[in-house]
Amino acid sequence: MSKAKKTAVTPTREENFPEWYQQVIKASDMAENSPVRGCMVIKPWGYGIWEAIQRDLDRRIKETGHENCYFPLFIPLSFLEKEAAHVEGFAKEMAVVTHHRLVAEDGKLVPSGKLEEPLVVRPTSETIIGDAFARWIQSYRDLPMLVNQWANVVRWEMRPRIFLRTAEFLWQEGHTAHATAEEAMDETLKMLEVYRVMAEEVLAMPVIVGEKPAHERFPGADKTYSIEAMMQDGKALQAGTSHFLGQHFSKAQNIRYQTAQGGEEFCYTTSWGVSTRLIGGVIMSHADDNGLRVPPRIAPKQIVFVPITRADGDEALIEDFLAPIVKDLSAQSFGGERLRVHVDRRPLAPPEKRWEWVKKGAPIICEVGPRDVAGGSVAMIRRDGELKGQITPKDELVSRAAAILEDIQKTLFTQAATALKERTVTVRTLDDFLAVFADDTTFGRKFVRARWCGDSDTLAKLDEYSITIRNVPFDQDGEAGTCVLSGRPATQEVIFAKSY
Amino acid sequence: MSKAKKTAVTPTREENFPEWYQQVIKASDMAENSPVRGCMVIKPWGYGIWEAIQRDLDRRIKETGHENCYFPLFIPLSFLEKEAAHVEGFAKEMAVVTHHRLVAEDGKLVPSGKLEEPLVVRPTSETIIGDAFARWIQSYRDLPMLVNQWANVVRWEMRPRIFLRTAEFLWQEGHTAHATAEEAMDETLKMLEVYRVMAEEVLAMPVIVGEKPAHERFPGADKTYSIEAMMQDGKALQAGTSHFLGQHFSKAQNIRYQTAQGGEEFCYTTSWGVSTRLIGGVIMSHADDNGLRVPPRIAPKQIVFVPITRADGDEALIEDFLAPIVKDLSAQSFGGERLRVHVDRRPLAPPEKRWEWVKKGAPIICEVGPRDVAGGSVAMIRRDGELKGQITPKDELVSRAAAILEDIQKTLFTQAATALKERTVTVRTLDDFLAVFADDTTFGRKFVRARWCGDSDTLAKLDEYSITIRNVPFDQDGEAGTCVLSGRPATQEVIFAKSY
């Protein structure tokens, strides 16, 4: 009987995946639950990852012609009342502001100054942005209207989970208006593709791109599309959505334009968003039993040096050795940005610092002691490999740093893509379907790809398993067959899975 | 009698400064009031300016050792109750969340799901961040703790004014904790200096740096420092503040650390912030009767080309001419960032487009027609000069673009600095003091520099004039004299002014 390998995070993924997730967040010092129910505090390492995601995505959003704006945090109730389906979908989980003042009574603060009309804290901004669109759009010349905002939103979650489902979260929400349904649909799919590329190339998180079934649409949408990623426990994470809203919101909010011919038409609108939930996806895609592994493209620090000082004078020796290396590395680019290099000079024991960076998942960690200086090398740890320093000549480190980061980025993507492929099984019968889902273990759980007739009544039999349809992948074989649930004729294949 | 010169903005500054301010915002399409009382919609041109300010300031904040975090939007009432002075200062103007659900009743939405403890929407985050500091800080090794957050905050303003005083606004708030009072004071002044440099070098807005008098301190602060700018109507704008909080918040919130000697001490904390109010300052510092003039460092588009097409084929001709120019310009840097170059291809009449960019205040506007192409030149308008195109050879434009932008940046600063100098008068007697303030016209109004004894009771006689002490400038002559208000001995000079 071999002794279990010691890991930096307890429990391991296999032992208890949900608890492992919480412990990785703690070990990497990314974020924590706040004393405000359901709200999180995002700490520097977590926020640095979000900033990197923002920089990348913001560039893509601007390159596709959108401009950033900022709309009010508060939405009057009357705005929500205009779109019935939207109301049904969101009314249950909103923070409601009813007063604008506090007064002290017996040393306690009591709400005062009641508002004539209560305000909700935005759960999403279709209604308040639609109101602006109705004012801004007069003629076909004003179209397409392409805006985006980076903001905080609030949905009162009953079972909050850090990064994945929090009462307050950060996101971007794009909102556009178009003259025709076709243009709006093009936009919807274009931004879905932007999300796919960002998820796969930047977060190293492979996704399945497709349309959500009708019963999973955004409240008020004609069609909703998503990217779905597989977490290491075989559950799906909806990582981004793009909605074709048709004329629902434009009719509810009177967003009209004068055509070139002088007629008047309602616009077609879209909306699309990704949030800090992506960080939860990064963790559950890439972290291991020793902590986080951050894809280099979004690592707040990509190369971290840990000086190993034992005697007086070591510090100066190592600083002199590192200075030109840090300078050369910092002048290089990776993923369109300058390399982010850091020397950890804190007065802590070197092994403690090294493990901290392992747990944080810095892609490259280099230990440098007097012997390394003498040999002109560093002891390099790649976070995607064995956690053992490899003696690496400094010139090699400097000349190959960007290539190594690119290689780590690829490794993380390939590992996740391989898992997604191997753990997605195609089945044709209900027996096979249930047999696959019988394995509900962390590493045994799978995505099932199967034909479905499209009748949501057939899903009742999945309730007891907490299985849902994630999306209808764009990639279809188009062959006729039978629905795995109802046995009726069906052509489309869908992805069934447990999910976050 | 000469005919009045026609201006793009009506009224002019001289005719009605407050209304001119609103009209500049409208003409430049920066922002607008929203249907939510006191909240604004920041449109792309205004938000682009904010993004440029953010990029610059964020870099300075990080270079001085701070890390970005994100803390909850909501603050429990119990947190506020801990710091009495803080409560007094803010309790009067907060948005209070009392419910977490809405239910439909007769087609109307009604608040439901009452919270056990109401939450306020953060007016500032000392209390919620202090709570985190109390958890994060254990020992002297954890100090200094240096964090910053970019966020929205809400203060229920009774007389909102776009950018200057809105219920919701965007800002950054830095929060730090230190082992000693001296270190905390160093931090307070260091960040004040960061604000000064940013205001003067980036916003081209000269400021007076000094300490606020005791009665104008931030609620709960030991000392508050500010940068104060002079608007074109001679009123002061407090453009940024930095607070030395002493041990008020650390004692109220139990932020303690173990010293190197094993003892236990309360930390000394600071906080400092600037907001979207700065954009109001930029407008009132630099805009003229033809609209905004954006300092090049923060212009979302710095060089705008307006093609002048009259005949078929002109468009292709001009595009071919512009392509290499745009490419060469876009590869250049200014203020540490790539030049932001834009070709306005919208199907509108060229003069209409030119005037739009004049009103938006793009620093350089170049019109290009077939004749310009033939001559290898453009008709360049500098927004800081006569609004008439100067024929400029394309090679000159390309080689001198960054220098011209730098020159425009300097011109705007120099104009504002000259006004600040000329319109700040030093007086020694109450008669002279009142004589200066007797001129309450847009271009006649002044800052008064005079000695003050420090007794806030003496200020009662200024109430009828709406004059306040802006700050006690760091730059002092140190000579003994008499208080301009009380006649008592006084050494310190302060700035008196009307203000926003």
Side-chain angles (χ1 to χ4, degrees), chain A residues 28-30 43-49 292 294 300-301 357 360-362:
Chain A
S28 58
D29 204 25
M30 299 175 83
K43 301 179 80 171
W45 192 249
Y47 200 79
I49 291 173
L292 187 59
V294 190
K301 301 182 200 308
W357 291 109
K360 281 178 176 297

Side-chain angles (χ1 to χ4, degrees), chain A residues 13-15 17 232-234 289 423 439-446:
Chain A
R13 288 164 289 181
E14 191 160 16
E15 286 163 357
F17 197 83
Q232 290 182 74
D233 63 349
D289 296 337
R423 295 175 71 176
D439 186 346
D440 196 31
T441 61
T442 297
F443 293 139
R445 219 172 271 129
K446 294 189 175 57

Side-chain angles (χ1 to χ4, degrees), chain A residues 32 35 42 51 62 68 70 73 77 81 91 94 96 98-102 109 131 135-136 152 168, chain B residues 32 35 42 51 62 68 70 73 77 81 91 94 96 98-102 109 131 135-136 152 168:
Chain A
E32 62 185 27
I42 309 180
E51 287 179 306
K62 285 173 177 160
N68 285 342
Y70 188 77
L73 171 68
L77 289 195
E81 286 161 357
M94 294 200 260
V96 190
T98 55
H99 295 73
H100 66 82
R101 193 182 300 146
L102 293 170
L109 291 172
D131 173 76
R135 274 179 283 123
W136 297 351
N152 53 345
E168 181 191 17
Chain B
E32 62 185 28
I42 309 180
E51 287 179 305
K62 285 172 176 159
N68 284 342
Y70 188 77
L73 171 67
L77 289 195
E81 286 161 357
M94 294 200 260
V96 190
T98 54
H99 296 73
H100 66 82
R101 193 181 300 145
L102 293 169
L109 291 172
D131 174 76
R135 273 179 283 123
W136 297 351
N152 53 345
E168 181 191 18

Side-chain angles (χ1 to χ4, degrees), chain B residues 315-336:
Chain B
E315 206 175 303
L317 183 79
I318 294 167
E319 286 289 342
D320 286 351
F321 175 73
L322 283 181
I325 299 175
V326 169
K327 185 160 170 276
D328 286 354
L329 287 172
S330 302
Q332 296 182 33
S333 288
F334 171 69

Side-chain angles (χ1 to χ4, degrees), chain B residues 208 211-213 215-216 226 228-231 233-237 420 423-440 444-463 465-473 476 482-488 490-500:
Chain B
I208 297 174
E211 185 184 347
K212 296 297 267 190
H215 62 282
E216 299 268 10
S226 72
E228 304 275 338
M230 179 189 274
M231 303 294 98
D233 63 349
K235 291 189 185 173
L237 183 82
L420 175 60
R423 295 175 71 176
T424 301
V425 294
T426 300
V427 306
R428 296 295 174 219
T429 69
L430 186 55
D431 282 352
D432 287 351
F433 181 96
L434 295 175
V436 172
F437 284 114
D439 186 346
D440 196 32
R445 219 172 271 129
K446 295 189 174 57
F447 279 15
V448 162
R449 191 178 170 114
R451 290 190 217 287
W452 179 57
C453 62
D455 176 359
S456 61
D457 289 346
T458 61
L459 301 173
K461 62 182 73 169
L462 300 182
D463 284 354
Y465 305 99
S466 306
I467 298 165
T468 54
I469 293 178
R470 303 317 305 155
N471 67 19
V472 185
Q476 292 282 336
T482 56
C483 172
V484 75
L485 297 181
S486 69
R488 288 180 290 212
T491 301
Q492 70 176 357
E493 288 187 334
V494 306
I495 300 292
F496 292 92
K498 284 199 154 190
S499 71
Y500 283 93

Side-chain angles (χ1 to χ4, degrees), chain B residues 20-330:
Chain B
W20 162 85
Y21 174 74
Q22 302 292 344
Q23 291 304 322
V24 168
I25 290 171
K26 194 172 174 186
S28 58
D29 204 25
M30 299 175 83
E32 62 185 28
N33 289 308
S34 83
V36 184
R37 204 186 151 289
C39 293
M40 61 183 162
V41 175
I42 309 180
K43 301 178 79 172
W45 192 249
Y47 200 79
I49 291 173
W50 181 239
E51 287 179 305
I53 294 173
Q54 280 190 302
R55 279 196 306 274
D56 181 88
L57 186 55
D58 191 65
R59 181 178 55 71
R60 294 177 200 272
I61 288 171
K62 285 172 176 159
E63 282 173 0
T64 43
H66 307 83
E67 294 185 298
N68 284 342
C69 294
Y70 188 77
F71 295 87
L73 171 67
F74 299 127
I75 300 178
L77 289 195
S78 56
F79 280 42
L80 293 172
E81 286 161 357
K82 287 181 186 168
E83 223 296 320
H86 198 62
V87 166
E88 270 176 47
F90 283 103
K92 287 158 195 154
E93 45 179 39
M94 294 200 260
V96 190
V97 176
T98 54
H99 296 73
H100 66 82
R101 193 181 300 145
L102 293 169
V103 293
E105 280 182 16
D106 306 329
K108 288 276 165 198
L109 291 172
V110 181
S112 170
K114 194 173 176 184
L115 296 176
E116 279 181 36
E117 182 182 16
L119 300 168
V120 301
V121 179
R122 63 182 161 218
T124 180
S125 302
E126 277 73 12
T127 57
I128 191 91
I129 293 181
D131 174 76
F133 277 11
R135 273 179 283 123
W136 297 351
I137 297 169
Q138 306 294 328
S139 118
Y140 68 95
R141 286 194 202 85
D142 300 320
L143 299 175
M145 178 75 68
L146 309 171
V147 309
N148 177 64
Q149 96 171 341
W150 291 94
N152 53 345
V153 287
V154 172
R155 298 173 188 180
W156 211 263
E157 295 290 348
M158 284 303 135
R159 293 174 299 119
R161 194 128 186 248
I162 198 161
F163 284 127
L164 298 174
R165 205 168 41 234
T166 47
E168 181 191 18
F169 57 91
L170 305 181
W171 79 345
Q172 62 66 220
E173 48 181 323
H175 295 269
T176 70
H178 307 262
T180 67
E182 193 191 351
E183 285 174 35
M185 183 57 84
D186 284 351
E187 165 79 11
T188 307
L189 298 178
K190 180 198 286 178
M191 299 320 290
L192 186 70
E193 174 65 6
V194 163
Y195 289 160
R196 182 195 68 77
V197 172
M198 184 269 298
E200 299 197 332
E201 295 183 3
V202 181
L203 310 185
M205 190 168 77
V207 291
I208 297 174
V209 187
E211 185 184 347
K212 296 297 267 190
H215 62 282
E216 299 268 10
R217 279 179 197 140
F218 175 77
D222 267 9
K223 285 179 181 293
T224 286
Y225 300 88
S226 72
I227 53 172
E228 304 275 338
M230 179 189 274
M231 303 294 98
Q232 289 181 75
D233 63 349
K235 291 189 185 173
L237 183 82
Q238 178 177 296
T241 49
S242 187
H243 314 291
F244 171 73
L245 303 173
Q247 295 181 317
H248 282 267
F249 285 88
S250 67
K251 285 184 174 165
Q253 302 193 279
N254 205 20
I255 308 173
R256 286 179 298 177
Y257 73 98
Q258 196 169 47
T259 65
Q261 293 73 37
E264 201 165 52
E265 298 284 353
F266 285 105
C267 292
Y268 291 82
T269 66
T270 84
S271 67
W272 28 274
V274 298
S275 73
T276 37
R277 170 170 246 224
L278 287 175
I279 300 175
V282 166
I283 298 168
M284 291 195 290
S285 292
H286 304 305
D288 63 18
D289 296 337
N290 287 313
L292 188 59
R293 302 190 303 169
V294 191
R297 290 283 292 271
I298 56 169
K301 302 183 200 308
Q302 295 159 326
I303 304 178
V304 175
F305 290 98
V306 176
I308 300 182
T309 52
R310 290 200 183 87
D312 278 357
D314 283 359
E315 206 175 303
L317 183 79
I318 294 167
E319 286 289 342
D320 286 351
F321 175 73
L322 283 181
I325 299 175
V326 169
K327 185 160 170 276
D328 286 354
L329 287 172
S330 302

Side-chain angles (χ1 to χ4, degrees), chain A residues 304-342:
Chain A
V304 175
F305 290 98
V306 176
I308 301 182
T309 52
R310 289 199 184 87
D312 278 357
D314 283 0
E315 206 175 304
L317 183 80
I318 294 167
E319 285 290 341
D320 286 350
F321 176 73
L322 283 180
I325 298 175
V326 169
K327 185 161 169 275
D328 286 354
L329 287 172
S330 302
Q332 295 181 33
S333 289
F334 171 69
E337 299 188 334
R338 284 295 164 90
L339 274 196
R340 295 183 282 271
V341 186
H342 177 69

